Amino acid sequence: NTEQCMGLFNKFISQTRKPEGFLGKMMINNMNSGHAKMADWAISFLPAEGVLSALEIGCGGGRNAGALLKKYPSAQVSAIDYSPLSVAKAAEFNKKAIEAGRCTVKQGDASNLDFAEQSFDLATAFETIYFWPQLEKCFAGVARVLKTGGRFMIVNECNGEDSAGEFWEKRIEGMKVYTPSQVEEMLKSAGFSKVTVHRHEKKPWFAVVAEK
């Protein structure tokens, strides 16, 4: 019945935070395929070269780490995720790059990045800051591991300017949808200097690129 369907739907979408079990595997596969167009749209705003080290935070199924490896053929990409299931899937997806020594995938937390200062030219966060605790503090942590002049890209499907954000917030525990201006303000407070917001002309997608 409708109630059971909604219950299963809510259970399924709640997997976006930390995918686990059978539903989690389904969600990760959906992340890799469902967000590909948005990710590629956003990646087009990154510089064509000059990235030798990148960090993908909240890597999900690993598809976007793979896209960064393709865009920057000389780069080393480190990918982290809170979910062990996502780490396993991302490692499987980027197996060849890992074997070639160009990629590492490990469990990690956006609020406590286990990397040395000034380690990366680029950090990315696709569809994940909704779940980061104390967002400004997390952004400051990203700034710490970026080199001077490094970039941090945030990509969100939901811009918090319509009813969709409220719909998802009610159904997914621990989710908070931010507007582009809120993200920009927190990035500047966290120590980023130049912040550029790109909005999709038809969809509520937005990509923010911040420079350290």
Side-chain angles (χ1 to χ4, degrees):
N1 61 28
T2 306
E3 199 173 310
Q4 282 178 320
C5 286
M6 279 306 293
L8 185 62
F9 172 72
N10 288 340
K11 201 170 179 183
F12 176 64
I13 60 173
S14 70
Q15 291 287 335
T16 53
R17 185 179 188 185
K18 188 182 181 185
E20 294 171 313
F22 175 71
L23 286 178
K25 286 180 182 175
M26 284 175 63
M27 176 57 75
I28 291 168
N29 288 332
N30 183 57
M31 285 174 182
N32 271 356
S33 58
H35 296 149
K37 281 186 181 176
M38 182 181 67
D40 291 343
W41 167 79
I43 286 171
S44 72
F45 299 117
L46 291 173
E49 51 191 27
V51 174
L52 295 176
S53 53
L55 173 63
E56 226 285 81
I57 308 169
C59 64
R63 187 263 174 200
N64 296 333
L68 292 174
L69 286 159
K70 278 183 193 170
K71 185 175 176 80
Y72 302 114
S74 301
Q76 298 274 336
V77 175
S78 299
I80 64 167
D81 200 281
Y82 181 58
S83 158
L85 194 61
S86 292
V87 170
K89 181 69 179 179
E92 182 190 331
F93 190 90
N94 294 290
K95 190 180 175 189
K96 286 184 181 175
I98 292 169
E99 287 171 353
R102 289 193 56 214
C103 182
T104 59
V105 183
K106 66 178 186 178
Q107 194 171 4
D109 191 330
S111 62
N112 186 23
L113 296 173
D114 188 19
F115 298 96
E117 288 182 29
Q118 307 231 6
S119 294
F120 300 100
D121 300 309
L122 171 69
T124 56
F126 295 85
E127 282 287 276
T128 180
I129 68 162
Y130 310 121
F131 307 108
W132 293 10
Q134 296 178 285
L135 200 55
E136 201 176 296
K137 188 181 171 191
C138 289
F139 287 173
V142 176
R144 181 186 69 80
V145 301
L146 279 176
K147 296 174 185 175
T148 303
R151 290 174 173 86
F152 178 29
M153 171 177 267
I154 294 164
V155 185
N156 279 6
E157 190 173 24
C158 224
N159 62 19
E161 294 170 351
D162 56 25
S163 57
E166 199 176 325
F167 173 88
W168 294 115
E169 282 180 347
K170 282 179 181 174
R171 283 161 178 80
I172 302 175
E173 187 188 345
M175 182 176 184
K176 170 69 181 160
V177 177
Y178 302 92
T179 64
S181 56
Q182 285 174 323
V183 173
E184 182 178 3
E185 195 177 310
M186 282 186 274
L187 283 165
K188 286 179 176 173
S189 297
F192 287 92
S193 52
K194 186 181 172 187
V195 180
T196 307
V197 177
H198 303 275
R199 290 171 176 267
H200 193 278
E201 55 186 30
K202 293 178 183 174
K203 300 174 187 284
W205 302 349
F206 72 95
V208 180
V209 181
E211 290 181 38
K212 178 180 172 182

mmCIF file of all heavy atoms in Angstrom, residues 110-139:
data_model
loop_
_atom_site.group_PDB
_atom_site.id
_atom_site.type_symbol
_atom_site.label_atom_id
_atom_site.label_comp_id
_atom_site.label_asym_id
_atom_site.label_seq_id
_atom_site.Cartn_x
_atom_site.Cartn_y
_atom_site.Cartn_z
ATOM 1 N N ALA A 110 34.667 14.389 7.253
ATOM 2 C CA ALA A 110 34.842 15.781 6.809
ATOM 3 C C ALA A 110 35.167 16.720 7.966
ATOM 4 O O ALA A 110 35.795 17.768 7.775
ATOM 5 C CB ALA A 110 33.586 16.266 6.099
ATOM 6 N N SER A 111 34.747 16.348 9.182
ATOM 7 C CA SER A 111 34.981 17.232 10.328
ATOM 8 C C SER A 111 36.352 17.002 10.972
ATOM 9 O O SER A 111 36.746 17.709 11.885
ATOM 10 C CB SER A 111 33.883 17.042 11.383
ATOM 11 O OG SER A 111 33.904 15.721 11.878
ATOM 12 N N ASN A 112 37.082 16.000 10.477
ATOM 13 C CA ASN A 112 38.409 15.709 11.033
ATOM 14 C C ASN A 112 39.289 15.113 9.939
ATOM 15 O O ASN A 112 39.558 13.920 9.922
ATOM 16 C CB ASN A 112 38.270 14.744 12.218
ATOM 17 C CG ASN A 112 39.588 14.513 12.927
ATOM 18 O OD1 ASN A 112 40.502 15.337 12.854
ATOM 19 N ND2 ASN A 112 39.705 13.383 13.606
ATOM 20 N N LEU A 113 39.728 15.960 9.019
ATOM 21 C CA LEU A 113 40.500 15.491 7.864
ATOM 22 C C LEU A 113 41.905 15.080 8.299
ATOM 23 O O LEU A 113 42.669 15.885 8.837
ATOM 24 C CB LEU A 113 40.575 16.590 6.799
ATOM 25 C CG LEU A 113 39.233 16.984 6.171
ATOM 26 C CD1 LEU A 113 39.413 18.195 5.252
ATOM 27 C CD2 LEU A 113 38.622 15.816 5.402
ATOM 28 N N ASP A 114 42.221 13.825 8.046
ATOM 29 C CA ASP A 114 43.487 13.247 8.504
ATOM 30 C C ASP A 114 44.577 13.396 7.436
ATOM 31 O O ASP A 114 45.102 12.414 6.915
ATOM 32 C CB ASP A 114 43.247 11.767 8.844
ATOM 33 C CG ASP A 114 44.453 11.126 9.520
ATOM 34 O OD1 ASP A 114 45.298 11.873 10.044
ATOM 35 O OD2 ASP A 114 44.560 9.881 9.492
ATOM 36 N N PHE A 115 44.872 14.660 7.102
ATOM 37 C CA PHE A 115 45.909 14.955 6.102
ATOM 38 C C PHE A 115 46.745 16.126 6.605
ATOM 39 O O PHE A 115 46.273 16.951 7.382
ATOM 40 C CB PHE A 115 45.270 15.331 4.754
ATOM 41 C CG PHE A 115 44.446 14.223 4.141
ATOM 42 C CD1 PHE A 115 43.067 14.183 4.327
ATOM 43 C CD2 PHE A 115 45.045 13.215 3.382
ATOM 44 C CE1 PHE A 115 42.301 13.173 3.774
ATOM 45 C CE2 PHE A 115 44.279 12.200 2.824
ATOM 46 C CZ PHE A 115 42.921 12.170 3.013
ATOM 47 N N ALA A 116 47.979 16.177 6.106
ATOM 48 C CA ALA A 116 48.877 17.263 6.512
ATOM 49 C C ALA A 116 48.423 18.591 5.922
ATOM 50 O O ALA A 116 47.709 18.624 4.910
ATOM 51 C CB ALA A 116 50.295 16.947 6.052
ATOM 52 N N GLU A 117 48.859 19.677 6.537
ATOM 53 C CA GLU A 117 48.560 21.013 6.012
ATOM 54 C C GLU A 117 49.125 21.159 4.603
ATOM 55 O O GLU A 117 50.156 20.586 4.274
ATOM 56 C CB GLU A 117 49.184 22.089 6.921
ATOM 57 C CG GLU A 117 48.475 22.242 8.251
ATOM 58 C CD GLU A 117 49.089 23.361 9.100
ATOM 59 O OE1 GLU A 117 49.629 24.322 8.501
ATOM 60 O OE2 GLU A 117 49.022 23.260 10.330
ATOM 61 N N GLN A 118 48.423 21.936 3.789
ATOM 62 C CA GLN A 118 48.878 22.265 2.434
ATOM 63 C C GLN A 118 49.210 21.014 1.608
ATOM 64 O O GLN A 118 50.238 20.954 0.938
ATOM 65 C CB GLN A 118 50.102 23.203 2.494
ATOM 66 C CG GLN A 118 49.853 24.428 3.335
ATOM 67 C CD GLN A 118 50.207 25.741 2.622
ATOM 68 O OE1 GLN A 118 50.537 25.776 1.452
ATOM 69 N NE2 GLN A 118 50.107 26.815 3.351
ATOM 70 N N SER A 119 48.334 20.035 1.641
ATOM 71 C CA SER A 119 48.569 18.776 0.913
ATOM 72 C C SER A 119 47.997 18.773 -0.504
ATOM 73 O O SER A 119 48.459 18.020 -1.352
ATOM 74 C CB SER A 119 47.927 17.597 1.669
ATOM 75 O OG SER A 119 48.550 17.385 2.908
ATOM 76 N N PHE A 120 46.966 19.600 -0.762
ATOM 77 C CA PHE A 120 46.210 19.446 -2.009
ATOM 78 C C PHE A 120 46.052 20.758 -2.784
ATOM 79 O O PHE A 120 45.950 21.828 -2.207
ATOM 80 C CB PHE A 120 44.804 18.898 -1.702
ATOM 81 C CG PHE A 120 44.813 17.557 -1.024
ATOM 82 C CD1 PHE A 120 44.631 17.467 0.352
ATOM 83 C CD2 PHE A 120 45.024 16.387 -1.747
ATOM 84 C CE1 PHE A 120 44.649 16.230 0.999
ATOM 85 C CE2 PHE A 120 45.043 15.155 -1.110
ATOM 86 C CZ PHE A 120 44.850 15.072 0.257
ATOM 87 N N ASP A 121 46.015 20.610 -4.115
ATOM 88 C CA ASP A 121 45.708 21.742 -5.006
ATOM 89 C C ASP A 121 44.200 21.941 -5.113
ATOM 90 O O ASP A 121 43.731 23.036 -5.419
ATOM 91 C CB ASP A 121 46.239 21.471 -6.430
ATOM 92 C CG ASP A 121 47.742 21.273 -6.462
ATOM 93 O OD1 ASP A 121 48.454 22.133 -5.917
ATOM 94 O OD2 ASP A 121 48.200 20.261 -7.014
ATOM 95 N N LEU A 122 43.449 20.865 -4.894
ATOM 96 C CA LEU A 122 42.005 20.899 -5.094
ATOM 97 C C LEU A 122 41.307 19.989 -4.087
ATOM 98 O O LEU A 122 41.798 18.893 -3.790
ATOM 99 C CB LEU A 122 41.679 20.418 -6.518
ATOM 100 C CG LEU A 122 40.208 20.183 -6.879
ATOM 101 C CD1 LEU A 122 39.438 21.498 -6.938
ATOM 102 C CD2 LEU A 122 40.094 19.449 -8.217
ATOM 103 N N ALA A 123 40.175 20.440 -3.579
ATOM 104 C CA ALA A 123 39.283 19.580 -2.785
ATOM 105 C C ALA A 123 37.885 19.712 -3.373
ATOM 106 O O ALA A 123 37.501 20.797 -3.832
ATOM 107 C CB ALA A 123 39.283 20.009 -1.316
ATOM 108 N N THR A 124 37.141 18.607 -3.387
ATOM 109 C CA THR A 124 35.780 18.639 -3.925
ATOM 110 C C THR A 124 34.811 17.972 -2.955
ATOM 111 O O THR A 124 35.182 17.063 -2.210
ATOM 112 C CB THR A 124 35.696 17.919 -5.289
ATOM 113 O OG1 THR A 124 36.174 16.576 -5.147
ATOM 114 C CG2 THR A 124 36.519 18.635 -6.355
ATOM 115 N N ALA A 125 33.567 18.435 -3.005
ATOM 116 C CA ALA A 125 32.510 17.873 -2.152
ATOM 117 C C ALA A 125 31.212 17.888 -2.958
ATOM 118 O O ALA A 125 30.576 18.933 -3.104
ATOM 119 C CB ALA A 125 32.368 18.695 -0.875
ATOM 120 N N PHE A 126 30.843 16.736 -3.497
ATOM 121 C CA PHE A 126 29.642 16.623 -4.316
ATOM 122 C C PHE A 126 28.480 16.074 -3.472
ATOM 123 O O PHE A 126 28.593 14.977 -2.915
ATOM 124 C CB PHE A 126 29.874 15.663 -5.490
ATOM 125 C CG PHE A 126 30.895 16.139 -6.492
ATOM 126 C CD1 PHE A 126 32.251 15.903 -6.288
ATOM 127 C CD2 PHE A 126 30.507 16.830 -7.635
ATOM 128 C CE1 PHE A 126 33.199 16.325 -7.209
ATOM 129 C CE2 PHE A 126 31.444 17.254 -8.568
ATOM 130 C CZ PHE A 126 32.794 17.008 -8.352
ATOM 131 N N GLU A 127 27.406 16.828 -3.370
ATOM 132 C CA GLU A 127 26.190 16.339 -2.711
ATOM 133 C C GLU A 127 26.459 15.780 -1.303
ATOM 134 O O GLU A 127 25.959 14.722 -0.948
ATOM 135 C CB GLU A 127 25.546 15.227 -3.565
ATOM 136 C CG GLU A 127 24.773 15.716 -4.767
ATOM 137 C CD GLU A 127 23.451 16.366 -4.387
ATOM 138 O OE1 GLU A 127 22.444 15.680 -4.191
ATOM 139 O OE2 GLU A 127 23.439 17.606 -4.268
ATOM 140 N N THR A 128 27.261 16.464 -0.524
ATOM 141 C CA THR A 128 27.631 15.895 0.780
ATOM 142 C C THR A 128 27.615 16.888 1.938
ATOM 143 O O THR A 128 27.435 16.487 3.085
ATOM 144 C CB THR A 128 29.024 15.222 0.697
ATOM 145 O OG1 THR A 128 29.367 14.682 1.952
ATOM 146 C CG2 THR A 128 30.114 16.202 0.269
ATOM 147 N N ILE A 129 27.769 18.191 1.677
ATOM 148 C CA ILE A 129 27.864 19.120 2.817
ATOM 149 C C ILE A 129 26.566 19.201 3.607
ATOM 150 O O ILE A 129 26.548 19.693 4.734
ATOM 151 C CB ILE A 129 28.319 20.542 2.399
ATOM 152 C CG1 ILE A 129 27.243 21.246 1.561
ATOM 153 C CG2 ILE A 129 29.666 20.517 1.704
ATOM 154 C CD1 ILE A 129 27.417 22.761 1.481
ATOM 155 N N TYR A 130 25.477 18.681 3.043
ATOM 156 C CA TYR A 130 24.203 18.630 3.775
ATOM 157 C C TYR A 130 24.357 17.941 5.134
ATOM 158 O O TYR A 130 23.589 18.175 6.052
ATOM 159 C CB TYR A 130 23.152 17.821 3.002
ATOM 160 C CG TYR A 130 22.933 18.159 1.557
ATOM 161 C CD1 TYR A 130 23.129 17.197 0.562
ATOM 162 C CD2 TYR A 130 22.475 19.410 1.161
ATOM 163 C CE1 TYR A 130 22.883 17.473 -0.778
ATOM 164 C CE2 TYR A 130 22.231 19.701 -0.178
ATOM 165 C CZ TYR A 130 22.440 18.733 -1.143
ATOM 166 O OH TYR A 130 22.199 19.013 -2.463
ATOM 167 N N PHE A 131 25.327 17.029 5.221
ATOM 168 C CA PHE A 131 25.467 16.176 6.413
ATOM 169 C C PHE A 131 26.692 16.529 7.271
ATOM 170 O O PHE A 131 26.968 15.851 8.243
ATOM 171 C CB PHE A 131 25.557 14.700 5.985
ATOM 172 C CG PHE A 131 24.428 14.281 5.090
ATOM 173 C CD1 PHE A 131 24.636 14.042 3.743
ATOM 174 C CD2 PHE A 131 23.139 14.149 5.586
ATOM 175 C CE1 PHE A 131 23.592 13.674 2.906
ATOM 176 C CE2 PHE A 131 22.089 13.777 4.765
ATOM 177 C CZ PHE A 131 22.314 13.539 3.416
ATOM 178 N N TRP A 132 27.421 17.559 6.885
ATOM 179 C CA TRP A 132 28.619 17.911 7.651
ATOM 180 C C TRP A 132 28.230 18.680 8.911
ATOM 181 O O TRP A 132 27.503 19.676 8.837
ATOM 182 C CB TRP A 132 29.563 18.772 6.812
ATOM 183 C CG TRP A 132 30.189 18.054 5.643
ATOM 184 C CD1 TRP A 132 29.850 16.823 5.161
ATOM 185 C CD2 TRP A 132 31.239 18.544 4.816
ATOM 186 N NE1 TRP A 132 30.631 16.515 4.072
ATOM 187 C CE2 TRP A 132 31.494 17.549 3.836
ATOM 188 C CE3 TRP A 132 31.988 19.715 4.791
ATOM 189 C CZ2 TRP A 132 32.470 17.701 2.853
ATOM 190 C CZ3 TRP A 132 32.955 19.878 3.817
ATOM 191 C CH2 TRP A 132 33.201 18.877 2.866
ATOM 192 N N PRO A 133 28.734 18.255 10.077
ATOM 193 C CA PRO A 133 28.428 18.989 11.316
ATOM 194 C C PRO A 133 29.287 20.250 11.410
ATOM 195 O O PRO A 133 30.422 20.270 10.926
ATOM 196 C CB PRO A 133 28.817 17.984 12.412
ATOM 197 C CG PRO A 133 29.906 17.169 11.790
ATOM 198 C CD PRO A 133 29.606 17.098 10.315
ATOM 199 N N GLN A 134 28.763 21.304 12.009
ATOM 200 C CA GLN A 134 29.527 22.551 12.188
ATOM 201 C C GLN A 134 30.241 22.914 10.887
ATOM 202 O O GLN A 134 31.460 22.885 10.789
ATOM 203 C CB GLN A 134 30.537 22.402 13.336
ATOM 204 C CG GLN A 134 29.877 22.173 14.692
ATOM 205 C CD GLN A 134 30.921 21.987 15.778
ATOM 206 O OE1 GLN A 134 31.553 20.945 15.876
ATOM 207 N NE2 GLN A 134 31.118 23.007 16.599
ATOM 208 N N LEU A 135 29.444 23.275 9.912
ATOM 209 C CA LEU A 135 29.923 23.442 8.542
ATOM 210 C C LEU A 135 31.126 24.380 8.412
ATOM 211 O O LEU A 135 32.100 24.067 7.721
ATOM 212 C CB LEU A 135 28.773 23.943 7.663
ATOM 213 C CG LEU A 135 28.915 23.726 6.164
ATOM 214 C CD1 LEU A 135 29.174 22.268 5.822
ATOM 215 C CD2 LEU A 135 27.680 24.207 5.431
ATOM 216 N N GLU A 136 31.061 25.511 9.096
ATOM 217 C CA GLU A 136 32.161 26.480 8.997
ATOM 218 C C GLU A 136 33.479 25.875 9.492
ATOM 219 O O GLU A 136 34.535 26.094 8.905
ATOM 220 C CB GLU A 136 31.812 27.732 9.799
ATOM 221 C CG GLU A 136 32.602 28.952 9.383
ATOM 222 C CD GLU A 136 32.150 30.195 10.132
ATOM 223 O OE1 GLU A 136 30.983 30.603 9.961
ATOM 224 O OE2 GLU A 136 32.969 30.741 10.896
ATOM 225 N N LYS A 137 33.403 25.077 10.559
ATOM 226 C CA LYS A 137 34.585 24.409 11.102
ATOM 227 C C LYS A 137 35.133 23.383 10.093
ATOM 228 O O LYS A 137 36.345 23.256 9.908
ATOM 229 C CB LYS A 137 34.221 23.719 12.425
ATOM 230 C CG LYS A 137 35.411 23.155 13.172
ATOM 231 C CD LYS A 137 34.972 22.461 14.458
ATOM 232 C CE LYS A 137 36.138 21.722 15.090
ATOM 233 N NZ LYS A 137 35.707 20.839 16.183
ATOM 234 N N CYS A 138 34.222 22.664 9.433
ATOM 235 C CA CYS A 138 34.637 21.709 8.400
ATOM 236 C C CYS A 138 35.323 22.434 7.249
ATOM 237 O O CYS A 138 36.346 21.969 6.733
ATOM 238 C CB CYS A 138 33.429 20.940 7.864
ATOM 239 S SG CYS A 138 32.732 19.747 9.014
ATOM 240 N N PHE A 139 34.761 23.585 6.856
ATOM 241 C CA PHE A 139 35.360 24.367 5.768
ATOM 242 C C PHE A 139 36.767 24.832 6.148
ATOM 243 O O PHE A 139 37.673 24.847 5.312
ATOM 244 C CB PHE A 139 34.486 25.582 5.441
ATOM 245 C CG PHE A 139 33.205 25.257 4.706
ATOM 246 C CD1 PHE A 139 32.255 26.253 4.488
ATOM 247 C CD2 PHE A 139 32.935 23.977 4.234
ATOM 248 C CE1 PHE A 139 31.071 25.980 3.802
ATOM 249 C CE2 PHE A 139 31.751 23.690 3.557
ATOM 250 C CZ PHE A 139 30.820 24.697 3.339
#
